[in-house]
Amino acid sequence: MQPFAQPPAHRPAPAPVLVAVGHGSRDPRARAGLARLLDRVRELRPGLDVRLAHVELNAPLLDATLEGLAAEGREAVLVPLLFAPGYHVTHDLPAALAAVPDLPARVAEPLGAHPLLVEALADRLAEAGWTPADSASRATGVVLASAGSRDPRSAAVVRRIAAALGERLGGTPVLAAYASAAAPTVPEAVAALTARGRHRIAVASCFTAPGLFAARAAAHAPWIAADPLGAHPALARLVLHRYDGAARAHTAGPATPTRELAAI
């Protein structure tokens, strides 16, 4: 007598694809830097499908990536490799999803004012030459350089990042500054710190990868300038943290395609 056939084992649905969304840059180092960051994300989460997409300028573009995922019948979580809820996060990413209605997906929070980001910023400053003695000095100050946005929520987030970095550096004054669309500029922030008697001024790079804005900010550093965050381990962990938060919300919500932002 032949034994009863066993029913096929239930296979859980694959986790949503993590689509890390960068802005795009004409600097060839930018795409390579983001690729190294995502390699580190894959090392931290073996088996997770992690893909890179760009809003503009670099392939793969976000629209094509989303269309491909819909054709594969997948789900996705878009993790903006951006720091605050500016136009790209609040408009471009939801609009890209709306153009692919068959793709169940959600946009995660931007990287934001998180301790992991502050850890990465402080480490990059240390690599540039910042020491514990500098944190204790009344002569030092830091300008936190970021891209900038006309959205007032974006500036508020960057100011919170600056405040948290200042606490991490033992109370060193850290001023937020912007490469475009908002004030103060990096030179203006340097001048403000100088007027407060801070003549050893470092520039911290609130950029994920090299590019025009990061290079301009570094060029205005009177003392040391930190490198962009790149493939820092803490940044890779933050990308996964944002993914997990949005993926949990997606699982708990309705099974229909989702078009709203995860809570900002």
Side-chain angles (χ1 to χ4, degrees), residues 17-25 28-39 41-42 48-56 58-66 69 77-82 208-209 239:
V17 176
L18 190 166
V19 181
V21 185
H23 179 274
S25 172
R29 298 172 298 168
R31 189 184 186 285
L34 295 185
R36 288 192 295 272
L37 171 62
L38 297 192
D39 284 343
V41 171
R42 296 182 187 99
L48 179 62
D49 192 341
V50 179
R51 308 189 191 187
L52 175 62
H54 300 89
V55 175
E56 59 185 3
N58 296 126
L61 290 172
L62 179 59
D63 292 345
T65 298
L66 298 181
L69 289 170
V77 170
L78 277 59
V79 179
L81 299 180
L82 304 165
T208 52
V239 169

Side-chain angles (χ1 to χ4, degrees), residues 21-247:
V21 185
H23 179 274
S25 172
R26 292 183 175 87
D27 189 321
R29 298 172 298 168
R31 189 184 186 285
L34 295 185
R36 288 192 295 272
L37 171 62
L38 297 192
D39 284 343
R40 193 174 288 274
V41 171
R42 296 182 187 99
E43 292 171 0
L44 292 171
R45 189 70 59 85
L48 179 62
D49 192 341
V50 179
R51 308 189 191 187
L52 175 62
H54 300 89
V55 175
E56 59 185 3
L57 297 175
N58 296 126
L61 290 172
L62 179 59
D63 292 345
T65 298
L66 298 181
E67 290 170 2
L69 289 170
E72 296 174 30
R74 300 296 303 274
E75 299 183 8
V77 170
L78 277 59
V79 179
L81 299 180
L82 304 165
F83 297 96
Y87 188 81
H88 293 306
V89 173
T90 60
H91 179 270
D92 287 345
L93 271 60
L97 286 182
V100 191
D102 294 333
L103 176 66
R106 179 176 289 257
V107 180
E109 295 181 54
L111 299 173
H114 192 278
L116 287 169
L117 175 60
V118 175
E119 177 184 339
L121 288 166
D123 282 356
R124 289 289 186 246
L125 277 172
E127 291 167 3
W130 187 275
T131 69
D134 295 315
S135 295
S137 172
R138 293 182 176 273
T140 55
V142 174
V143 173
L144 178 69
S146 68
S149 169
R150 292 182 177 87
D151 190 324
R153 294 173 298 173
S154 178
V157 169
V158 178
R159 287 194 297 269
R160 290 200 296 272
I161 297 170
L165 179 59
E167 292 178 6
R168 173 86 179 217
L169 299 177
T172 299
V174 178
L175 297 186
Y178 309 95
S180 68
T185 64
V186 173
E188 288 168 345
V190 168
L193 286 170
T194 301
R196 293 163 59 177
R198 304 282 173 164
H199 60 268
R200 284 170 61 83
I201 300 171
V203 171
S205 183
C206 201
F207 298 97
T208 52
L212 177 62
F213 285 169
R216 283 180 178 173
H220 291 298
W223 176 35
I224 57 173
D227 286 337
L229 299 174
H232 192 284
L235 189 63
R237 297 200 302 274
L238 180 53
V239 169
L240 283 171
H241 176 72
R242 295 303 187 210
Y243 167 84
D244 288 338

